[in-house]
Amino acid sequence: MNAEERIEKARERVIEALSKNMDLYGVTPSIGRLYGILYFNDGPMTLEEMSDALGMSKTSMSTGVKTLTDLKMVEKTWKKGVRKDLYRVEEDWYETFSEFFCIKWRKGSDMNLAAIERSLTELQAVIADEESSEEVKAVAQKDIERLQQAQEYYHWLNRLVDAFETGEIFNHIPRKE
Amino acid sequence: MNAEERIEKARERVIEALSKNMDLYGVTPSIGRLYGILYFNDGPMTLEEMSDALGMSKTSMSTGVKTLTDLKMVEKTWKKGVRKDLYRVEEDWYETFSEFFCIKWRKGSDMNLAAIERSLTELQAVIADEESSEEVKAVAQKDIERLQQAQEYYHWLNRLVDAFETGEIFNHIPRKE
DNA sequence: TTATATATACAGAAAAAACTGTACGAAGTG
DNA sequence: CACTTCGTACAGTTTTTTCTGTATATATAA
């Protein structure tokens, strides 16, 4: 095996591992490999180059790159004189990690907190209602306690996200040992 | 709308929000709703009760509950005199959160680090090889640098996982404000 | 042990997602 | 302007996943 092939194989191994673990980011192995190709490529790539490299349609590259861009893992760049769109990976993986989980966690947190708050209000109304029986009130009370616990958890999650967004997390868990 | 219905609706809203956000945990909305049902139920449930509550087959409940158990979100319990398997949610969401992400992150980290280490060794061999041209060596060198950066990142991720596993994270981001 | 209840393996049906090729609109060029 | 090139919307196809019903294995009680 010559040197070029050995390098290629070394890349292939890492790309394969990468793409297998990208499901953590909710990304299919195909898109994972796309990311891997972009990761090892010197400089940005066009949709056509990706298409050639992976043997997949340009349409798939377009949607794949869109997914990765939405996840802030890839960004569009621009080079003078080049008409085609160019894309490159966000090289800072700490940033990629934070961006991804912050977006997801914050979204989940917001949605669930909103639902919880509305439901808490309603349950409190049930308890305040003169017509509610004692049994019903007890059920409502139990749900309220459950939801308050959940609320506390989501507030914690929000603070965790804050720590990632501000970079404060790196004071606690430093980048280098 | 009577009180029971209002409570039911309050639960429904939260379950819906929960299940929509469970894709973060790589779980389908169906299984998310199953989790929600278990979450609000007082005491553990049998497969049959889940089946009735969701209007889905018992087979689906069996596989769904297995998924949730693997994720440590649900656990099997036992009650004297009850022959059926009983399941209940892990109530501590901090624990659920940590368990899930630690398992996933650690797995990804291990796999990728293993691939990276093997490839690094190979690339170093390419550089050491007398027969390699200067251009090839430069490419290998560039890849080595990339992989070393990745390695550093994964070491950080491992330390982050450690902080969750030991509970040290709660010293930095306390559960209550 | 037998009778009975319970959970899961498996095959097939239904639903969802991934992927492709074509077509069309937008953007750049002469 | 006309002409070319590029990216993506869309429809259709293939692949994968989800879900169900049946059949079988396992466990419990008498």
Side-chain angles (χ1 to χ4, degrees), chain A:
Chain A
M1 195 159 55
N2 68 35
E4 277 96 343
E5 284 169 349
R6 285 155 80 192
I7 292 177
E8 190 47 46
K9 212 182 147 201
R11 287 183 173 190
E12 206 53 62
R13 178 183 301 111
V14 174
I15 291 175
E16 213 47 46
L18 228 47
S19 84
K20 265 184 197 146
N21 287 108
M22 290 273 267
D23 62 333
L24 226 164
Y25 292 91
V27 153
T28 62
S30 288
I31 298 184
R33 270 194 305 280
L34 173 57
Y35 179 84
I37 290 289
L38 279 163
Y39 175 68
F40 277 106
N41 198 73
D42 266 326
M45 293 177 82
T46 67
L47 291 181
E48 197 159 20
E49 287 168 332
M50 301 174 208
S51 178
D52 290 345
L54 287 167
M56 285 176 75
S57 72
K58 219 163 62 170
T59 304
S60 293
M61 299 303 99
S62 177
T63 55
V65 136
K66 181 168 187 333
T67 304
L68 292 169
T69 307
D70 289 347
L71 296 175
K72 305 276 183 80
M73 291 179 174
V74 160
E75 56 181 16
K76 199 187 247 188
T77 60
W78 185 87
K79 214 167 90 187
K80 197 181 158 187
V82 178
R83 256 169 81 177
K84 305 185 185 186
D85 291 0
L86 290 168
Y87 298 90
R88 67 152 174 255
V89 300
E90 164 59 70
E91 304 239 352
D92 182 344
W93 282 9
Y94 301 97
E95 186 60 29
T96 300
F97 178 92
S98 299
E99 271 286 349
F100 176 80
F101 287 105
C102 287
I103 290 171
K104 293 285 188 177
W105 288 342
R106 191 76 86 182
K107 185 170 153 255
S109 184
D110 286 351
M111 277 184 56
N112 288 345
L113 272 177
I116 287 168
E117 273 153 31
R118 280 195 62 182
S119 289
L120 274 176
T121 308
E122 269 181 34
L123 291 167
Q124 259 130 15
V126 168
I127 289 187
D129 191 335
E130 310 258 312
E131 302 200 10
S132 300
S133 70
E134 285 310 313
E135 294 92 38
V136 162
K137 280 188 188 175
V139 173
Q141 186 54 40
K142 182 114 196 195
D143 278 12
I144 285 174
E145 277 154 28
R146 246 194 283 266
L147 292 184
Q148 279 170 344
Q149 264 202 294
Q151 212 174 18
E152 192 187 297
Y153 161 78
Y154 282 115
H155 287 147
W156 171 81
L157 187 56
N158 272 335
R159 291 202 303 283
L160 181 68
V161 171
D162 291 344
F164 276 101
E165 280 181 349
T166 60
E168 188 202 324
I169 191 73
F170 298 112
N171 299 336
H172 309 307
I173 323 283
R175 286 170 208 247
K176 294 183 193 182
E177 185 89 80

Side-chain angles (χ1 to χ4, degrees), chain B residues 71-170:
Chain B
L71 295 176
K72 306 275 184 81
M73 290 177 176
V74 160
E75 56 181 16
K76 198 187 249 189
T77 60
W78 184 87
K79 215 167 89 186
K80 197 180 158 188
V82 178
R83 251 166 87 174
K84 305 186 186 187
D85 292 359
L86 290 167
Y87 298 92
R88 67 151 175 253
V89 300
E90 164 59 72
E91 302 238 354
D92 183 344
W93 283 10
Y94 301 98
E95 187 60 29
T96 300
F97 177 92
S98 298
E99 271 286 349
F100 177 81
F101 287 106
C102 287
I103 289 171
K104 292 287 188 177
W105 288 340
R106 191 76 86 183
K107 185 169 153 256
S109 183
D110 287 350
M111 278 185 55
N112 288 344
L113 272 176
I116 287 169
E117 272 153 32
R118 281 195 61 180
S119 289
L120 273 176
T121 309
E122 270 181 33
L123 290 168
Q124 259 130 15
V126 168
I127 288 187
D129 191 334
E130 309 259 312
E131 301 202 9
S132 300
S133 70
E134 286 310 313
E135 293 94 37
V136 162
K137 282 189 189 176
V139 173
Q141 187 54 40
K142 182 115 196 194
D143 278 11
I144 286 174
E145 278 154 29
R146 247 193 282 266
L147 292 184
Q148 279 170 343
Q149 264 202 294
Q151 213 173 18
E152 192 186 297
Y153 161 77
Y154 283 115
H155 288 148
W156 171 80
L157 187 56
N158 273 336
R159 290 201 304 282
L160 181 67
V161 171
D162 291 343
F164 276 101
E165 279 181 349
T166 60
E168 188 202 323
I169 190 74
F170 298 113

